Amino acid sequence: MSNAFVQHIAPGIDKLSPYAPGKPISELERELGITQPIKLASNENPLGPSQQVKQVLLDQLDGLARYPDGNAHALRTALAEKHQVKPDCVTIGSGSNDVLDMIARVFLHPGRESLFSQHGFAVYPLSSMATGATLNIAPAKNFGHDLEAFQSRINAHTGVIWIANPNNPTGTWLDHNTLYDFVKTVPPDVIVVIDEAYFEYVQKADYPDASQWLDEFPNLIVTRTFSKAYGLAALRIGYGLSHPDVADLLNRVRLPFNANSCAQEAALAALTDQDHIQQSIALNHQGLTQFAQGFEALGLTYLPSVGNFITVNVGHPADPVDAALLREGVITRPVENYGLADCLRISIGLPEENDRCLNALKKVLASAD
Ligand SMILES: *Cc1c(COP(=O)(O)O)cnc(C)c1O
């Protein structure tokens, strides 16, 4: 870039690369002329939203000319009840990414450090770098978060610590005592974010709900989303739970009307349809087993996952494998940008989609050998 204005861009922006999303189905159809591809690239719910949600959305059509409730009163009240907190502890975002970005904008700036794990979620460095803050990346242990490594990196400059539990793209998770004991050691002037985007999917007895620790830790922020188990990724709606003083700061940078009325109403309806969530979780569990067995049959190693995705080592640089899978009409997610160049992250789909993906993988790998 040689235009004169480039010299005046905000610190951190010059080193940023845009977030690389999973390939949309329409793009594959357009580029390769493939009909009916399947997308297992963005950890979406293959069942889609519940029937109740679809009905509520139809009822929204007449209201589209009006601005949404900028304070999302009804949704914040419902979420406060769900989590047993006060409504002023809830910050609504256009997806939880929006909340993550608000956190970075409030608590990071040049001279401050953003601390997260190797193989951590891509939005943490993106939002952090845009503020001009410095990245402090803790090496992973067995692909997961090494909280001792985190601890040794906390210093007077640390502004925000980001922990995805479970983590995307590794599917690794931290148990109650390990995470709680860590949060307890974090100085009170350092913000700890526990990103629970995949909370609903985790079926482990000692997996913690960090929102229950909010009373104890005013520097804790827990984020959740409607994009994954709730099946509302297109609507962009998620939220943060925190001390009201933190929420007050986040709300100062929150864009007006950041959550649209369709998203607010759909989220409210989705919360009441827990049967749909249960069905989604059961289907996911079955799919995780299907992939694990499929990978074992192919002699591939994978990272055992508690999320709605699974990362597999294809034994070669994954980019050409991804390209070959695309030609078979299967969209998965190469994770080279996460430092996992030989791996693909595959979202759990419907049983027949999982089968189609495994068969395509078998075919593609056989011709690569
Ligand atoms: C998908 C995901 C999110 C949620 O993104 P939304 O903006 O809510 O759609 C947040 N954190 C992680 C780790 C994720 O994988």
Short mmCIF file of all heavy atoms in Angstrom, two decimals, residues 209-254:
data_model
loop_
_atom_site.label_atom_id
_atom_site.label_comp_id
_atom_site.label_asym_id
_atom_site.label_seq_id
_atom_site.Cartn_x
_atom_site.Cartn_y
_atom_site.Cartn_z
N ASP A 209 -19.12 -23.80 34.95
CA ASP A 209 -19.90 -22.67 34.46
C ASP A 209 -19.31 -21.44 35.15
O ASP A 209 -19.63 -21.15 36.30
CB ASP A 209 -21.37 -22.87 34.84
CG ASP A 209 -22.22 -21.64 34.55
OD1 ASP A 209 -21.66 -20.61 34.12
OD2 ASP A 209 -23.44 -21.72 34.75
N ALA A 210 -18.42 -20.74 34.46
CA ALA A 210 -17.67 -19.65 35.10
C ALA A 210 -18.56 -18.48 35.49
O ALA A 210 -18.17 -17.63 36.30
CB ALA A 210 -16.54 -19.18 34.18
N SER A 211 -19.78 -18.43 34.94
CA SER A 211 -20.68 -17.32 35.31
C SER A 211 -21.03 -17.39 36.80
O SER A 211 -21.43 -16.39 37.40
CB SER A 211 -21.95 -17.33 34.46
OG SER A 211 -22.80 -18.40 34.82
N GLN A 212 -20.84 -18.55 37.40
CA GLN A 212 -21.14 -18.67 38.84
C GLN A 212 -20.06 -18.05 39.72
O GLN A 212 -20.23 -17.97 40.93
CB GLN A 212 -21.33 -20.15 39.19
CG GLN A 212 -22.59 -20.68 38.56
CD GLN A 212 -22.84 -22.14 38.85
OE1 GLN A 212 -22.01 -22.82 39.44
NE2 GLN A 212 -24.00 -22.62 38.44
N TRP A 213 -18.98 -17.62 39.12
CA TRP A 213 -17.89 -17.03 39.90
C TRP A 213 -17.91 -15.50 39.85
O TRP A 213 -17.00 -14.83 40.37
CB TRP A 213 -16.52 -17.51 39.38
CG TRP A 213 -16.39 -18.99 39.26
CD1 TRP A 213 -17.12 -19.95 39.93
CD2 TRP A 213 -15.49 -19.71 38.41
NE1 TRP A 213 -16.72 -21.20 39.54
CE2 TRP A 213 -15.72 -21.08 38.61
CE3 TRP A 213 -14.50 -19.32 37.50
CZ2 TRP A 213 -15.00 -22.07 37.94
CZ3 TRP A 213 -13.78 -20.30 36.83
CH2 TRP A 213 -14.03 -21.66 37.05
N LEU A 214 -18.91 -14.94 39.17
CA LEU A 214 -18.90 -13.48 38.93
C LEU A 214 -18.94 -12.68 40.22
O LEU A 214 -18.30 -11.63 40.33
CB LEU A 214 -20.07 -13.09 38.02
CG LEU A 214 -19.92 -13.53 36.56
CD1 LEU A 214 -21.23 -13.35 35.81
CD2 LEU A 214 -18.81 -12.75 35.87
N ASP A 215 -19.67 -13.17 41.23
CA ASP A 215 -19.76 -12.44 42.50
C ASP A 215 -18.39 -12.31 43.16
O ASP A 215 -18.09 -11.34 43.83
CB ASP A 215 -20.69 -13.17 43.48
CG ASP A 215 -22.14 -12.89 43.14
OD1 ASP A 215 -22.38 -11.91 42.41
OD2 ASP A 215 -23.01 -13.64 43.61
N GLU A 216 -17.59 -13.34 42.95
CA GLU A 216 -16.30 -13.39 43.62
C GLU A 216 -15.21 -12.59 42.89
O GLU A 216 -14.28 -12.10 43.52
CB GLU A 216 -15.89 -14.86 43.69
CG GLU A 216 -14.86 -15.15 44.73
CD GLU A 216 -14.61 -16.66 44.82
OE1 GLU A 216 -15.48 -17.46 44.38
OE2 GLU A 216 -13.53 -17.03 45.29
N PHE A 217 -15.35 -12.49 41.57
CA PHE A 217 -14.27 -11.88 40.77
C PHE A 217 -14.81 -10.73 39.91
O PHE A 217 -15.29 -10.94 38.80
CB PHE A 217 -13.60 -12.91 39.87
CG PHE A 217 -13.08 -14.12 40.59
CD1 PHE A 217 -13.65 -15.37 40.38
CD2 PHE A 217 -12.02 -14.01 41.48
CE1 PHE A 217 -13.17 -16.49 41.05
CE2 PHE A 217 -11.52 -15.13 42.14
CZ PHE A 217 -12.11 -16.37 41.93
N PRO A 218 -14.68 -9.48 40.40
CA PRO A 218 -15.18 -8.34 39.61
C PRO A 218 -14.40 -8.13 38.31
O PRO A 218 -14.86 -7.41 37.44
CB PRO A 218 -14.99 -7.13 40.54
CG PRO A 218 -14.47 -7.64 41.82
CD PRO A 218 -14.13 -9.08 41.70
N ASN A 219 -13.24 -8.78 38.18
CA ASN A 219 -12.43 -8.64 36.97
C ASN A 219 -12.70 -9.75 35.96
O ASN A 219 -11.99 -9.89 34.97
CB ASN A 219 -10.94 -8.62 37.33
CG ASN A 219 -10.50 -9.86 38.10
OD1 ASN A 219 -11.31 -10.47 38.80
ND2 ASN A 219 -9.23 -10.23 37.99
N LEU A 220 -13.76 -10.56 36.20
CA LEU A 220 -14.06 -11.70 35.32
C LEU A 220 -15.17 -11.33 34.33
O LEU A 220 -16.17 -10.72 34.70
CB LEU A 220 -14.52 -12.89 36.18
CG LEU A 220 -15.04 -14.13 35.46
CD1 LEU A 220 -13.95 -14.81 34.64
CD2 LEU A 220 -15.62 -15.13 36.47
N ILE A 221 -14.98 -11.73 33.06
CA ILE A 221 -16.04 -11.58 32.05
C ILE A 221 -16.25 -12.96 31.41
O ILE A 221 -15.28 -13.60 31.00
CB ILE A 221 -15.67 -10.58 30.94
CG1 ILE A 221 -15.24 -9.22 31.54
CG2 ILE A 221 -16.84 -10.39 29.98
CD1 ILE A 221 -14.75 -8.21 30.50
N VAL A 222 -17.50 -13.39 31.37
CA VAL A 222 -17.82 -14.66 30.73
C VAL A 222 -18.63 -14.35 29.48
O VAL A 222 -19.57 -13.54 29.53
CB VAL A 222 -18.65 -15.55 31.69
CG1 VAL A 222 -19.05 -16.85 31.00
CG2 VAL A 222 -17.85 -15.83 32.96
N THR A 223 -18.25 -14.94 28.34
CA THR A 223 -19.02 -14.69 27.12
C THR A 223 -19.70 -15.97 26.65
O THR A 223 -19.18 -17.08 26.81
CB THR A 223 -18.14 -14.13 25.98
OG1 THR A 223 -17.08 -15.06 25.71
CG2 THR A 223 -17.54 -12.79 26.35
N ARG A 224 -20.88 -15.78 26.12
CA ARG A 224 -21.68 -16.88 25.55
C ARG A 224 -22.24 -16.41 24.21
O ARG A 224 -22.29 -15.22 23.93
CB ARG A 224 -22.87 -17.22 26.47
CG ARG A 224 -22.49 -17.73 27.85
CD ARG A 224 -22.22 -19.22 27.82
NE ARG A 224 -22.02 -19.71 29.18
CZ ARG A 224 -22.94 -20.37 29.89
NH1 ARG A 224 -24.13 -20.65 29.36
NH2 ARG A 224 -22.68 -20.77 31.12
N THR A 225 -22.73 -17.37 23.43
CA THR A 225 -23.25 -17.01 22.11
C THR A 225 -24.49 -17.83 21.74
O THR A 225 -24.68 -18.94 22.25
CB THR A 225 -22.17 -17.21 21.03
OG1 THR A 225 -22.68 -16.76 19.78
CG2 THR A 225 -21.77 -18.68 20.89
N PHE A 226 -25.28 -17.25 20.85
CA PHE A 226 -26.41 -17.98 20.25
C PHE A 226 -26.01 -18.55 18.88
O PHE A 226 -26.84 -19.10 18.18
CB PHE A 226 -27.62 -17.05 20.09
CG PHE A 226 -28.29 -16.73 21.40
CD1 PHE A 226 -27.96 -15.59 22.11
CD2 PHE A 226 -29.23 -17.60 21.94
CE1 PHE A 226 -28.56 -15.31 23.33
CE2 PHE A 226 -29.83 -17.33 23.16
CZ PHE A 226 -29.50 -16.18 23.86
N SER A 227 -24.74 -18.40 18.50
CA SER A 227 -24.31 -18.82 17.16
C SER A 227 -24.08 -20.32 17.04
O SER A 227 -24.07 -20.85 15.93
CB SER A 227 -22.99 -18.14 16.79
OG SER A 227 -23.12 -16.75 16.75
N LYS A 228 -23.83 -21.00 18.12
CA LYS A 228 -23.41 -22.39 18.03
C LYS A 228 -24.60 -23.30 18.36
O LYS A 228 -25.41 -23.56 17.50
CB LYS A 228 -22.19 -22.62 18.91
CG LYS A 228 -21.04 -21.62 18.61
CD LYS A 228 -20.32 -21.92 17.31
CE LYS A 228 -19.54 -20.77 16.69
NZ LYS A 228 -18.48 -20.18 17.49
N ALA A 229 -24.75 -23.77 19.59
CA ALA A 229 -25.81 -24.73 19.90
C ALA A 229 -27.21 -24.17 19.58
O ALA A 229 -28.11 -24.92 19.20
CB ALA A 229 -25.73 -25.15 21.36
N TYR A 230 -27.39 -22.87 19.75
CA TYR A 230 -28.72 -22.29 19.52
C TYR A 230 -29.05 -22.11 18.03
O TYR A 230 -30.19 -21.77 17.68
CB TYR A 230 -28.87 -20.96 20.27
CG TYR A 230 -29.05 -21.14 21.76
CD1 TYR A 230 -27.97 -21.08 22.64
CD2 TYR A 230 -30.31 -21.42 22.29
CE1 TYR A 230 -28.14 -21.26 24.00
CE2 TYR A 230 -30.49 -21.61 23.66
CZ TYR A 230 -29.40 -21.53 24.51
OH TYR A 230 -29.58 -21.71 25.86
N GLY A 231 -28.05 -22.29 17.18
CA GLY A 231 -28.33 -22.30 15.73
C GLY A 231 -28.71 -20.95 15.14
O GLY A 231 -29.49 -20.89 14.19
N LEU A 232 -28.16 -19.85 15.67
CA LEU A 232 -28.55 -18.53 15.17
C LEU A 232 -27.35 -17.73 14.63
O LEU A 232 -27.33 -16.50 14.71
CB LEU A 232 -29.21 -17.72 16.30
CG LEU A 232 -30.50 -18.28 16.88
CD1 LEU A 232 -31.02 -17.36 17.99
CD2 LEU A 232 -31.56 -18.42 15.80
N ALA A 233 -26.36 -18.43 14.06
CA ALA A 233 -25.12 -17.73 13.65
C ALA A 233 -25.39 -16.56 12.71
O ALA A 233 -24.74 -15.52 12.81
CB ALA A 233 -24.16 -18.72 13.01
N ALA A 234 -26.35 -16.70 11.82
CA ALA A 234 -26.59 -15.64 10.83
C ALA A 234 -27.12 -14.37 11.47
O ALA A 234 -26.91 -13.27 10.96
CB ALA A 234 -27.59 -16.12 9.77
N LEU A 235 -27.80 -14.49 12.59
CA LEU A 235 -28.42 -13.31 13.19
C LEU A 235 -27.43 -12.46 13.98
O LEU A 235 -27.69 -11.30 14.25
CB LEU A 235 -29.59 -13.73 14.10
CG LEU A 235 -30.83 -14.21 13.34
CD1 LEU A 235 -31.89 -14.68 14.32
CD2 LEU A 235 -31.39 -13.09 12.49
N ARG A 236 -26.29 -13.04 14.35
CA ARG A 236 -25.26 -12.33 15.12
C ARG A 236 -25.78 -11.88 16.47
O ARG A 236 -26.20 -10.73 16.64
CB ARG A 236 -24.69 -11.12 14.33
CG ARG A 236 -24.31 -11.36 12.88
CD ARG A 236 -23.31 -12.48 12.73
NE ARG A 236 -22.10 -12.26 13.51
CZ ARG A 236 -21.62 -13.16 14.38
NH1 ARG A 236 -22.22 -14.32 14.59
NH2 ARG A 236 -20.53 -12.89 15.05
N ILE A 237 -25.78 -12.78 17.42
CA ILE A 237 -26.17 -12.37 18.78
C ILE A 237 -25.43 -13.22 19.82
O ILE A 237 -25.34 -14.44 19.71
CB ILE A 237 -27.71 -12.38 18.96
CG1 ILE A 237 -28.10 -11.82 20.33
CG2 ILE A 237 -28.34 -13.75 18.74
CD1 ILE A 237 -28.98 -10.63 20.26
N GLY A 238 -24.85 -12.53 20.78
CA GLY A 238 -24.12 -13.17 21.87
C GLY A 238 -24.10 -12.21 23.04
O GLY A 238 -24.69 -11.12 22.96
N TYR A 239 -23.44 -12.58 24.14
CA TYR A 239 -23.46 -11.68 25.29
C TYR A 239 -22.29 -11.91 26.23
O TYR A 239 -21.64 -12.96 26.18
CB TYR A 239 -24.78 -11.80 26.06
CG TYR A 239 -25.14 -13.19 26.56
CD1 TYR A 239 -24.92 -13.55 27.89
CD2 TYR A 239 -25.70 -14.13 25.70
CE1 TYR A 239 -25.27 -14.82 28.35
CE2 TYR A 239 -26.05 -15.38 26.15
CZ TYR A 239 -25.83 -15.73 27.48
OH TYR A 239 -26.16 -16.99 27.92
N GLY A 240 -22.06 -10.90 27.05
CA GLY A 240 -21.06 -10.99 28.11
C GLY A 240 -21.76 -10.90 29.45
O GLY A 240 -22.78 -10.21 29.58
N LEU A 241 -21.20 -11.58 30.43
CA LEU A 241 -21.68 -11.50 31.82
C LEU A 241 -20.51 -11.01 32.65
O LEU A 241 -19.39 -11.53 32.52
CB LEU A 241 -22.12 -12.89 32.30
CG LEU A 241 -23.25 -13.55 31.51
CD1 LEU A 241 -23.35 -15.04 31.86
CD2 LEU A 241 -24.57 -12.85 31.78
N SER A 242 -20.74 -10.01 33.47
CA SER A 242 -19.64 -9.43 34.24
C SER A 242 -20.18 -8.62 35.41
O SER A 242 -21.39 -8.43 35.54
CB SER A 242 -18.84 -8.48 33.34
OG SER A 242 -19.65 -7.36 33.01
N HIS A 243 -19.28 -8.10 36.21
CA HIS A 243 -19.64 -7.10 37.22
C HIS A 243 -20.29 -5.90 36.50
O HIS A 243 -19.86 -5.54 35.40
CB HIS A 243 -18.36 -6.65 37.94
CG HIS A 243 -18.62 -5.80 39.14
ND1 HIS A 243 -18.94 -4.46 39.04
CD2 HIS A 243 -18.63 -6.10 40.45
CE1 HIS A 243 -19.14 -3.97 40.25
NE2 HIS A 243 -18.95 -4.95 41.13
N PRO A 244 -21.29 -5.27 37.12
CA PRO A 244 -21.95 -4.12 36.47
C PRO A 244 -20.98 -3.00 36.09
O PRO A 244 -21.19 -2.31 35.08
CB PRO A 244 -22.95 -3.63 37.52
CG PRO A 244 -23.18 -4.79 38.42
CD PRO A 244 -21.94 -5.62 38.40
N ASP A 245 -19.91 -2.81 36.85
CA ASP A 245 -18.95 -1.75 36.51
C ASP A 245 -18.22 -2.07 35.20
O ASP A 245 -17.93 -1.16 34.41
CB ASP A 245 -17.90 -1.57 37.62
CG ASP A 245 -18.50 -0.97 38.88
OD1 ASP A 245 -19.70 -0.57 38.85
OD2 ASP A 245 -17.78 -0.90 39.91
N VAL A 246 -17.94 -3.35 34.98
CA VAL A 246 -17.33 -3.77 33.71
C VAL A 246 -18.34 -3.57 32.59
O VAL A 246 -18.03 -3.01 31.53
CB VAL A 246 -16.86 -5.24 33.77
CG1 VAL A 246 -16.46 -5.73 32.39
CG2 VAL A 246 -15.70 -5.39 34.75
N ALA A 247 -19.57 -4.01 32.82
CA ALA A 247 -20.62 -3.88 31.80
C ALA A 247 -20.83 -2.41 31.44
O ALA A 247 -21.02 -2.06 30.27
CB ALA A 247 -21.92 -4.51 32.30
N ASP A 248 -20.77 -1.55 32.44
CA ASP A 248 -20.92 -0.10 32.19
C ASP A 248 -19.82 0.39 31.24
O ASP A 248 -20.09 1.13 30.29
CB ASP A 248 -20.86 0.65 33.53
CG ASP A 248 -20.78 2.15 33.33
OD1 ASP A 248 -21.65 2.69 32.61
OD2 ASP A 248 -19.84 2.78 33.85
N LEU A 249 -18.59 -0.06 31.46
CA LEU A 249 -17.49 0.35 30.58
C LEU A 249 -17.69 -0.19 29.16
O LEU A 249 -17.48 0.51 28.17
CB LEU A 249 -16.15 -0.13 31.15
CG LEU A 249 -15.70 0.57 32.44
CD1 LEU A 249 -14.54 -0.19 33.08
CD2 LEU A 249 -15.30 2.01 32.15
N LEU A 250 -18.11 -1.45 29.08
CA LEU A 250 -18.30 -2.06 27.76
C LEU A 250 -19.39 -1.31 27.00
O LEU A 250 -19.29 -1.09 25.79
CB LEU A 250 -18.66 -3.55 27.89
CG LEU A 250 -17.60 -4.45 28.55
CD1 LEU A 250 -18.09 -5.90 28.56
CD2 LEU A 250 -16.27 -4.35 27.83
N ASN A 251 -20.44 -0.94 27.72
CA ASN A 251 -21.55 -0.26 27.06
C ASN A 251 -21.17 1.12 26.52
O ASN A 251 -21.84 1.64 25.63
CB ASN A 251 -22.74 -0.16 28.01
CG ASN A 251 -23.62 -1.40 27.89
OD1 ASN A 251 -24.25 -1.62 26.86
ND2 ASN A 251 -23.61 -2.23 28.91
N ARG A 252 -20.09 1.70 27.04
CA ARG A 252 -19.65 3.01 26.53
C ARG A 252 -19.12 2.91 25.10
O ARG A 252 -19.18 3.87 24.35
CB ARG A 252 -18.57 3.59 27.43
CG ARG A 252 -19.10 3.88 28.82
CD ARG A 252 -18.02 4.49 29.70
NE ARG A 252 -18.41 4.39 31.10
CZ ARG A 252 -17.81 5.02 32.09
NH1 ARG A 252 -16.77 5.80 31.84
NH2 ARG A 252 -18.21 4.86 33.33
N VAL A 253 -18.57 1.74 24.75
CA VAL A 253 -18.04 1.60 23.38
C VAL A 253 -18.97 0.76 22.49
O VAL A 253 -18.71 0.62 21.28
CB VAL A 253 -16.62 0.98 23.36
CG1 VAL A 253 -15.64 1.85 24.13
CG2 VAL A 253 -16.62 -0.45 23.91
N ARG A 254 -20.00 0.20 23.07
CA ARG A 254 -20.95 -0.61 22.28
C ARG A 254 -21.64 0.29 21.26
O ARG A 254 -22.09 1.38 21.60
CB ARG A 254 -21.98 -1.24 23.22
CG ARG A 254 -22.90 -2.26 22.58
CD ARG A 254 -23.77 -2.93 23.63
NE ARG A 254 -24.64 -1.99 24.33
CZ ARG A 254 -25.82 -1.55 23.87
NH1 ARG A 254 -26.27 -1.98 22.71
NH2 ARG A 254 -26.53 -0.69 24.57
#
